[in-house]
């Protein structure tokens, strides 16, 4: 069984963290989990430390000094994963918008020879549940915009549920990624595709969070719109 690390960035996820840890630790695949917590004032980090008593070898925690952004959290997680010799690194949200039951399919698909497997809302069979129509349209056409600018054949360019083969991750310069939000998710895909790594999208059902508050902001959206142009024309 491949050695797989699930990376979960958190900020004020006390309503979800216990449920998520218990869910993932209950699978027979014995996944390892790394929580990257940005000093959540609601006690998310404290909850993780309590669970570490039950799973000392499989549950890990990085605590950062403050809210530093999604992209930098994943970069910290990727570096930790590479240093500890995992085979795969999986990005996943803590709010259950990404269904942990799909983890097995992500890893199984990667094992067939793919360096990046994307849990996709917009490939055939994928769907978005509980989003208002306006948000669905904005997300869908954002991906259309990215495909047109970057010329990449990815249906869900902003997807955040992904499995990376670490032998591919190690070939990227993780210290020079200038983005933090959706632009970071796009840039990681773009880098791997431009370097010729194999990728595949598999359908998922994406469900809006039921507990806690979204971290989405207009600044994150603007970064993505402008960032895509920088990737294309400044050749980042």
């Amino acid at each position: 069984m491949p050695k797989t690390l699930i990376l979960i960035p958190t900020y004020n996820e006390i309503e979800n963290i216990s449920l998520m840890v218990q869910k993932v630790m209950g699978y027979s695949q014995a996944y390892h989990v790394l929580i990257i917590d940005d000093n959540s004032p609601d006690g998310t980090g404290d909850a993780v430390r309590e669970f570490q008593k039950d799973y000392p070898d499989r549950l890990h925690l990085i605590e950062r000094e403050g809210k530093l952004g999604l992209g930098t959290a994943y970069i910290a997680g990727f570096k930790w994963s590479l240093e500890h010799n995992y085979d795969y690194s999986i990005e996943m949200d803590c709010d259950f918008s990404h269904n942990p039951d799909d983890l097995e399919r992500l890893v199984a698909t990667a094992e067939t020879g793919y360096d990046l497997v994307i849990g996709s809302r917009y490939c055939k069979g994928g769907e978005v549940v509980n989003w208002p129509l306006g948000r669905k349209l904005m997300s869908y056409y954002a991906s259309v915009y990215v495909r047109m600018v970057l010329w990449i054949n990815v249906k869900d360019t902003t997807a955040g549920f992904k499995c990376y083969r670490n032998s591919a991750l190690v070939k990227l310069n993780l210290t020079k990624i200038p983005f933090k939000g959706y632009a970071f998710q796009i840039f990681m895909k773009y880098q791997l595709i431009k370097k010729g790594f194999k990728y595949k999208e598999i359908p998922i059902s994406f469900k809006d969070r039921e507990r806690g508050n979204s971290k989405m902001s207009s600044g994150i959206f603007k970064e993505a719109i402008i960032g895509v142009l920088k990737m294309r024309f400044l050749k980042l």
Side-chain angles (χ1 to χ4, degrees):
M1 190 174 294
K3 192 178 178 185
T4 302
L5 182 67
I6 301 167
L7 311 176
I8 305 179
T10 56
Y11 183 76
N12 285 349
E13 291 290 355
I14 193 64
E15 295 177 77
N16 292 302
I17 190 64
S18 297
L19 296 171
M20 179 59 73
V21 169
Q22 292 177 60
K23 179 73 172 177
V24 175
M25 291 298 165
Y27 292 122
S28 61
Q29 289 84 354
Y31 300 115
H32 286 208
V33 175
L34 174 63
I35 306 295
I36 307 103
D37 186 64
D38 278 1
N39 195 25
S40 297
D42 69 350
T44 299
D46 294 332
V48 175
R49 278 190 293 275
E50 282 299 308
F51 274 109
Q52 283 183 305
K53 297 174 184 177
D54 298 322
Y55 308 101
D57 299 322
R58 293 174 53 204
L59 180 60
H60 311 283
L61 174 65
I62 293 176
E63 292 185 281
R64 307 198 301 172
E65 61 185 18
K67 199 163 185 258
L68 302 175
L70 182 72
T72 61
Y74 276 129
I75 290 170
F78 292 150
K79 290 179 178 178
W80 197 95
S81 182
L82 293 171
E83 289 168 2
H84 291 81
N85 300 312
Y86 287 88
D87 299 311
Y88 297 105
S89 299
I90 296 179
E91 293 185 13
M92 188 170 75
D93 289 346
C94 190
D95 60 11
F96 286 90
S97 56
H98 302 146
N99 188 344
D101 289 345
D102 291 324
L103 290 167
E104 183 177 5
R105 290 196 301 128
L106 287 173
V107 177
T109 303
E111 286 196 275
T112 64
Y114 292 97
D115 302 296
L116 169 64
V117 181
I118 302 165
S120 177
R121 298 163 291 184
Y122 304 127
C123 71
K124 185 177 180 180
E127 64 175 349
V128 177
V129 180
N130 294 340
W131 265 10
L133 179 61
R135 190 172 179 186
K136 286 182 180 179
L137 291 174
M138 182 177 71
S139 175
Y140 177 81
Y141 284 106
S143 280
V144 172
Y145 164 75
V146 173
R147 290 201 300 276
M148 291 176 62
V149 174
L150 297 183
W151 300 349
I152 57 175
N153 187 26
V154 176
K155 295 291 191 295
D156 195 348
T157 57
T158 61
F161 195 18
K162 306 193 293 293
C163 177
Y164 297 90
R165 187 183 296 273
N166 276 12
S167 59
L169 270 183
V170 76
K171 302 293 179 61
L172 304 182
N173 189 344
L174 297 174
T175 63
K176 291 189 176 181
I177 298 177
F179 306 112
K180 294 183 178 181
Y182 283 156
F184 168 82
Q185 302 289 20
I186 298 165
F187 189 59
M188 288 294 295
K189 299 178 186 73
Y190 187 53
Q191 279 195 102
L192 286 165
I193 292 169
K194 294 294 282 186
K195 289 180 179 292
F197 289 105
K198 292 182 65 177
Y199 67 96
K200 183 175 183 177
E201 290 183 86
I202 63 172
I204 63 164
S205 178
F206 179 96
K207 183 175 70 171
D208 198 13
R209 68 160 62 229
E210 296 178 354
R211 294 170 296 275
N213 298 314
S214 172
K215 313 306 185 296
M216 178 63 178
S217 69
S218 60
I220 291 173
F221 188 74
K222 289 176 183 177
E223 180 200 55
I225 296 295
I226 297 170
V228 169
L229 297 173
K230 290 180 178 179
M231 293 174 213
R232 178 72 174 86
F233 298 109
L234 298 183
K235 300 185 183 300
L236 295 181

